[in-house]
Amino acid sequence: MSIRTGFAIMIGLGLAMVAFLVLALALRAARGEEFLTAQAMTLIGVGCLLVVARPSWAIAKRIVPDKE
């Protein structure tokens, strides 16, 4: 595993946590507590990971550029 991959994983997990918390709070406020079952929370978490995967790789690429 390269340094860039490690950075991408750390950045991605951080962004996914922030997106998950914001989305969970918004859904809880809009739909109520009973809407957020374990299955719904899992789907929200996987969706957040998929959404932030590409931006986190781009950020990691800026931190650790290709060797020239």
Side-chain angles (χ1 to χ4, degrees), residues 24-25 27-38 40-41:
L25 286 173
L27 284 171
R28 183 172 289 146
R31 300 289 301 235
E33 185 72 33
E34 64 279 350
F35 179 74
L36 294 176
T37 62
M41 297 286 266

Side-chain angles (χ1 to χ4, degrees), residues 10-35:
M10 289 189 300
I11 293 167
L13 287 176
L15 289 174
M17 286 185 341
V18 170
F20 177 81
L21 289 174
V22 168
L23 195 55
L25 286 173
L27 284 171
R28 183 172 289 146
R31 300 289 301 235
E33 185 72 33
E34 64 279 350
F35 179 74

Side-chain angles (χ1 to χ4, degrees):
M1 178 167 72
S2 68
I3 276 228
R4 185 186 296 171
T5 305
F7 273 123
I9 290 171
M10 289 189 300
I11 293 167
L13 287 176
L15 289 174
M17 286 185 341
V18 170
F20 177 81
L21 289 174
V22 168
L23 195 55
L25 286 173
L27 284 171
R28 183 172 289 146
R31 300 289 301 235
E33 185 72 33
E34 64 279 350
F35 179 74
L36 294 176
T37 62
Q39 185 179 8
M41 297 286 266
T42 302
L43 290 173
I44 293 168
V46 170
C48 288
L49 282 174
L50 291 173
V51 166
V52 302
R54 180 76 179 193
S56 66
W57 184 253
I59 293 169
K61 198 170 187 179
R62 284 183 172 240
I63 293 172
V64 183
D66 292 330
K67 296 179 184 175
E68 295 182 14

